[in-house]
Amino acid sequence: MNRVHLVILWHMHQPQYRDPSTGQYVLPWTRLHALKDYWGMVRVLEEFPRVHATFNVVPSLGVQLEEYASGHFDEPWFATAFRPAKDLTAEEKLEILSRAFQLNYDHMLARWPRFVELHQRVVQSQGNERALLSLGERDWRDLQLLSQLAWMDEEYLASDPVVSRLAGKGTDYTEQDKQELCAKQLELLGRVLPEYRRAASTGQIEISTTPFYHPILPLLCDSDIARVSNPGTPLPAPAFRHPEDAREQLMRARRYHERVFGRAPEGLWPSEGSVSEQVLSIAAELGFKWFATDEGVLGHTLRTGFGRDGAGVPSNADKLYSLLRVRVGGREMVGFFRDHYLSDLVGFVYSRMDPGAAAEDLHQRIRAIGERVQIGRPLTVSLILDGENAWEYYPGNGREFLRLFYRRIENDPDISALTASEAVAAAGEIATNDGIFPASWINANFDVWIGSGEDVMAWDHLRRARDFYAQQAESAAKGFPRAPTPEQLAAAYEALLGAEGSDWCWWYGPEHSSVNDAEFDAFYRKLLTEVYLALGAEAPDVLAEPIKRQPERALILPPSAYLKVNVDGRESTYFEWMGAGLYSADRRSSSMHGRLRLLHELRYGFDDKRFHLRVDVFAETLAELRDAEFRITIRTEQELRVVVRLEEGRVSGYLVESRDLCLLGPDEVVKVACDKILEVSVAKEMFMLGDRKSILLGVAIWEGGLPVDLLPAEGMLEIQLGSEHFGWSVE
């Protein structure tokens, strides 16, 4: 058998969930995976000292882990989960019903009979609003604790006295139980990064890094490069080209890594295995010695394929299982190429098998490679995959599978599990190739991040924000009056770098979706909004409009009569809005996410001279807004915008803007009033209709320079023109 050098790389990553303006964590996944995966994945390796591995820690994840470890963090779901049950508000209870069940049912929820019972009761209630009435204080307390206990590391569940007692208890938890679990969570969060440093100090693990905010570096350098791997992919125009940002993301990663782990990283897992010659040239210049990507990139680079036989052994295996020295820009880096087949077995297949059978199968497949591929030198087999998300699909969070697999590898004299740098040192002669094919690990292209209309829109927003930042930076460099300060520029650039992360475009387009799509979308646009706000400017209205098109359930009725409206902010008579068109969103299902839901419904219609709009709000929340304004956008041949400023729920002034006009109210062409409702009436001469058959309408509420609610949530409402729709006739 040919000797096998097995390189296992576990990639640890979560997006930056911390809102730069509020400091709040908008989603809890960093904390929950820190409890379930990050500490235990390193800890279990300690039982097998001959098994070495590489852990890739994304810096933006590490920064969040540090804040969680300090105990000084602001995460609403954490606070709600441990709040005394008697003090929970209705909104917090809805948040619990939303978050508590966002986990794998079979392996994380079903192991707790009481958790199953509560889940079934909620499902049978046929709606979270009804479930509020069916659960008592004891139920809420159990649901709070079990939703957190389910994410605790397997070792804590098995051996920690407090956590194992709570696991055994199973029901009828007390507030003291909740506080004890809270303390244990904080204890475990504080142990994560020290465990990585300890394991690295022994030499058992190597820690590699990724560009700071996990961006797709080739696209940052030049978005047009996506056409190399897919000539038909849609692209933003003009292109996004900021190789200086790619360099900054890598430089920050190196500085962070050195501060936290005590030494600069040798290796780089470029986000999503995305490489190009320009990227590797920058990385090599900064001191990186090795990188890793997927076999698809290697296949395109060498113009060869790796089709598998029945045992999973690839053709051209001598090339796949050899390191490759890539020469770019006069510099070199050593490349590892992920065995796609084996890695995906771990990620997606073995979770459905008995752990022992799965571990044996993987071990034997690696041995088969060594037995059948004879090249006169050690083979380097790269097993590279996500180190967190797969395990919730395994019984016991995959710990038994890992232990059984590691034990087989440790006891096999023909296989050496090495860190990546150890594998480079042990490889002997390494062939050199000029250049590399630009692509990611997914389908050897960049389509996930730039291959749809939603992706292109996201890149367009990013480019405009980046251009605005560059203009302001130039003004500051030239000493112009009222130019932003260095502190403002730094805050804006930080938000830009965060928005460059790959995670936002992961959810745009048709490839991926989750229950948190809307929150990911909103947070991306919040980051871009922060760029403008940090520079003392108003963010573009378009950032209030979702990119991810997920229509909100709504009742939509067209107008059925012409209107006669008295604009006074009240429903003057019962008949005033009778016959109006209606857009009424069902917002019950989205109110539990901690996001403000202020806009209730829109009514609209025409008379022969004016367009009328009525906006109904949830009055109990509108009065709580400060520095708030309505932004009403009407699109025809050009865009008309009416900005209505509020003070204590009443109109304090309004502005009408179009291509040719900027008008301060009050004025007869646009009438505005707000009391119980907002009423807006716009004269027909303000509309440039041309030969259009419809107009588009959107209403947003902004507070403190940020969009906080929008109707319709999915974008704009189309309103048909013509007398048959009780609208203006189009000539």
Side-chain angles (χ1 to χ4, degrees):
M1 176 172 169
N2 212 20
R3 184 156 195 81
V4 173
H5 293 166
L6 178 63
V7 175
I8 304 170
L9 188 152
W10 300 117
H11 174 54
M12 303 302 194
H13 168 57
Q14 288 292 327
Q16 168 57 282
Y17 294 120
R18 189 177 186 273
D19 187 313
S21 62
T22 66
Q24 281 192 344
Y25 283 87
V26 298
L27 287 169
W29 304 121
T30 296
R31 174 176 62 88
L32 296 179
H33 281 288
L35 298 171
K36 186 176 79 72
D37 300 303
Y38 299 142
W39 177 78
M41 283 292 291
V42 178
R43 186 71 173 183
V44 71
L45 203 62
E46 186 181 35
E47 301 171 22
F48 309 94
R50 290 189 58 246
V51 177
H52 292 192
T54 303
F55 285 80
N56 190 78
V57 178
V58 178
S60 55
L61 167 65
V63 168
Q64 295 176 85
L65 292 175
E66 287 184 284
E67 184 168 23
Y68 275 113
S70 74
H72 303 292
F73 59 88
D74 183 359
E75 187 211 296
W77 173 225
F78 176 83
T80 299
F82 290 108
R83 194 180 310 286
K86 65 180 179 60
D87 297 335
L88 290 170
T89 66
E91 184 178 4
E92 287 170 334
K93 289 177 179 178
L94 287 170
E95 179 79 1
I96 291 171
L97 295 177
S98 169
R99 301 286 185 205
F101 304 117
Q102 288 186 29
L103 75 177
N104 182 278
Y105 183 92
D106 293 329
H107 300 299
M108 297 180 68
L109 191 153
R111 69 195 297 181
W112 316 100
R114 173 66 165 149
F115 208 175
V116 172
E117 175 199 337
L118 291 167
H119 179 256
Q120 290 174 342
R121 286 176 59 184
V122 171
V123 170
Q124 290 165 1
S125 297
Q126 296 183 332
N128 288 345
E129 299 281 357
R130 293 184 179 180
L132 286 180
L133 304 176
S134 68
L135 300 181
E137 188 174 306
R138 167 179 172 264
D139 301 319
W140 289 112
R141 195 160 40 241
D142 283 358
L143 186 54
Q144 285 174 293
L145 190 138
L146 288 167
S147 72
Q148 301 302 302
L149 188 64
W151 288 90
M152 293 299 289
D153 186 88
E154 291 295 316
E155 184 168 323
Y156 266 59
L157 287 170
S159 60
D160 182 89
V162 171
V163 179
S164 60
R165 178 183 66 80
L166 295 175
K169 187 175 182 180
T171 189
D172 293 318
Y173 293 109
T174 66
E175 292 298 334
Q176 179 62 31
D177 290 335
K178 282 166 51 181
Q179 291 311 305
E180 289 181 8
L181 181 60
C182 180
K184 283 297 176 182
Q185 284 205 358
L186 295 174
E187 172 189 298
L188 182 49
L189 290 168
R191 296 178 67 178
V192 175
L193 287 176
E195 186 66 23
Y196 281 78
R197 288 192 289 266
R198 181 205 61 77
S201 70
T202 69
Q204 189 175 9
I205 74 167
E206 176 180 2
I207 305 175
S208 59
T209 194
T210 291
F212 198 95
Y213 284 108
H214 205 268
I216 305 298
L217 289 184
L219 299 180
L220 287 193
C221 290
D222 183 359
S223 58
D224 282 355
I225 203 164
R227 284 275 171 87
V228 176
S229 54
N230 181 359
T233 194
L235 292 176
F240 189 96
R241 291 193 180 98
H242 288 283
E244 69 274 24
D245 287 5
R247 179 182 296 273
E248 182 68 21
Q249 297 267 10
L250 285 170
M251 289 173 59
R252 290 188 180 208
R254 290 184 68 82
R255 288 197 298 267
Y256 174 81
H257 194 100
E258 190 164 10
R259 174 178 70 80
V260 173
F261 300 117
R263 56 175 296 180
E266 295 283 309
L268 176 71
W269 169 252
S271 316
E272 308 292 355
S274 298
V275 293
S276 69
E277 293 180 7
Q278 190 172 10
V279 166
L280 293 187
S281 178
I282 295 171
E285 181 185 339
L286 293 176
F288 287 99
K289 300 294 190 297
W290 62 262
F291 71 93
T293 183
D294 188 69
E295 67 177 51
V297 175
L298 178 65
H300 283 283
T301 298
L302 301 182
R303 298 182 180 179
T304 191
F306 303 111
R308 262 65 179 190
D309 63 17
V313 178
S315 56
N316 301 303
D318 57 321
K319 294 181 173 62
L320 178 57
Y321 299 129
S322 297
L323 300 179
L324 184 67
R325 197 178 305 277
V326 178
R327 183 182 294 124
V328 288
R331 294 181 173 85
E332 296 177 344
M333 289 182 70
V334 174
F336 290 83
F337 299 93
R338 174 180 183 268
D339 187 311
H340 201 109
Y341 179 78
L342 289 182
S343 301
D344 280 359
L345 286 177
V346 178
F348 306 112
V349 176
Y350 288 147
S351 58
R352 301 191 293 268
M353 296 173 57
D354 171 79
E360 177 66 16
D361 184 80
L362 181 56
H363 176 222
Q364 289 303 318
R365 288 181 185 277
I366 295 170
R367 282 198 61 85
I369 291 169
E371 290 166 354
R372 294 179 50 185
V373 182
Q374 300 295 321
I375 59 174
R377 51 183 167 78
L379 303 170
T380 302
V381 177
S382 299
L383 194 66
I384 303 174
L385 69 150
D386 188 284
E388 53 198 31
N389 292 316
W391 307 121
E392 65 187 85
Y393 298 96
Y394 281 74
N397 207 38
R399 292 294 190 267
E400 184 180 0
F401 164 76
L402 285 172
R403 284 188 167 95
L404 292 171
F405 174 63
Y406 286 157
R407 184 171 294 116
R408 283 168 169 78
I409 296 301
E410 184 167 60
N411 294 333
D412 191 322
D414 299 312
I415 302 174
S416 296
L418 306 176
T419 68
S421 291
E422 288 173 340
V424 172
E429 184 177 351
I430 300 174
T432 299
N433 189 78
D434 290 325
I436 196 163
F437 185 80
S440 76
W441 76 270
I442 300 180
N443 300 323
N445 59 38
F446 299 110
D447 285 2
V448 168
W449 301 277
I450 206 166
S452 76
E454 290 178 355
D455 296 323
V456 170
M457 184 183 298
W459 280 96
D460 283 338
H461 290 347
L462 178 64
R463 175 186 50 77
R464 284 191 284 268
R466 184 65 175 79
D467 289 348
F468 182 75
Y469 166 80
Q471 294 164 5
Q472 296 299 303
E474 184 178 0
S475 297
K478 293 180 177 178
F480 288 170
R482 295 187 296 276
T485 66
E487 292 76 17
Q488 288 178 298
L489 288 169
Y493 193 46
E494 197 72 38
L496 265 174
L497 294 176
E500 289 174 350
S502 72
D503 300 280
W504 322 120
C505 282
W506 177 270
W507 299 108
Y508 294 139
E511 298 93 350
H512 305 112
S513 184
S514 78
V515 295
N516 302 126
D517 280 356
E519 289 164 300
F520 280 111
D521 183 7
F523 190 56
Y524 174 68
R525 291 180 286 110
K526 178 70 178 293
L527 287 171
L528 293 179
T529 299
E530 191 66 23
V531 175
Y532 295 92
L533 297 183
L535 296 171
E538 184 178 274
D541 282 0
V542 70
L543 292 180
E545 299 178 18
I547 299 171
K548 188 75 175 180
R549 300 300 179 186
Q550 289 188 321
E552 196 167 42
R553 288 181 299 172
L555 173 64
I556 304 176
L557 300 174
S560 59
Y562 289 105
L563 304 181
K564 187 175 181 179
V565 174
N566 176 32
V567 182
D568 59 2
R570 297 173 176 268
E571 191 171 12
S572 304
T573 71
Y574 173 77
F575 302 99
E576 184 180 26
W577 287 93
M578 184 174 288
L582 173 67
Y583 182 95
S584 181
D586 179 359
R587 318 206 80 180
R588 293 171 298 172
S589 62
S590 54
S591 64
M592 75 280 296
H593 294 298
R595 299 170 58 200
L596 289 173
R597 296 299 184 187
L598 305 177
L599 297 171
H600 177 41
E601 56 188 26
L602 309 178
R603 298 178 189 270
Y604 56 90
F606 303 82
D607 62 28
D608 60 338
K609 295 181 179 179
R610 307 186 72 87
F611 170 72
H612 302 289
L613 171 67
R614 164 179 165 174
V615 183
D616 286 49
V617 300
F618 295 102
E620 65 272 22
T621 53
L622 184 59
E624 298 172 5
L625 290 176
R626 298 292 182 268
D627 186 25
E629 58 188 30
F630 285 90
R631 297 189 184 186
I632 299 153
T633 302
I634 303 171
R635 290 180 185 163
T636 54
E637 290 296 314
Q638 69 177 36
E639 186 171 289
L640 172 69
R641 187 172 69 167
V642 182
V643 180
V644 183
R645 297 190 180 91
L646 300 182
E647 188 172 323
E648 297 182 353
R650 300 296 178 92
V651 176
S652 62
Y654 64 93
L655 176 70
V656 181
E657 296 176 312
S658 68
R659 183 188 306 163
D660 305 313
L661 175 70
C662 183
L663 173 70
L664 289 171
D667 194 280
E668 276 299 301
V669 295
V670 177
K671 299 178 181 180
V672 173
C674 183
D675 188 352
K676 300 298 184 182
I677 57 177
L678 173 69
E679 291 180 318
V680 179
S681 179
V682 184
K684 184 177 181 180
E685 57 259 36
M686 293 295 294
F687 293 80
M688 293 186 62
L689 297 176
D691 59 355
R692 291 180 64 93
K693 300 295 191 294
S694 65
I695 63 176
L696 299 177
L697 171 69
V699 178
I701 289 185
W702 287 58
E703 183 186 31
L706 296 173
V708 293
D709 200 13
L710 178 75
L711 276 184
E714 65 269 25
M716 304 286 279
L717 173 65
E718 185 172 15
I719 300 172
Q720 299 296 323
L721 298 176
S723 57
E724 67 272 27
H725 303 293
F726 296 93
W728 300 320
S729 297
V730 180
E731 302 297 331

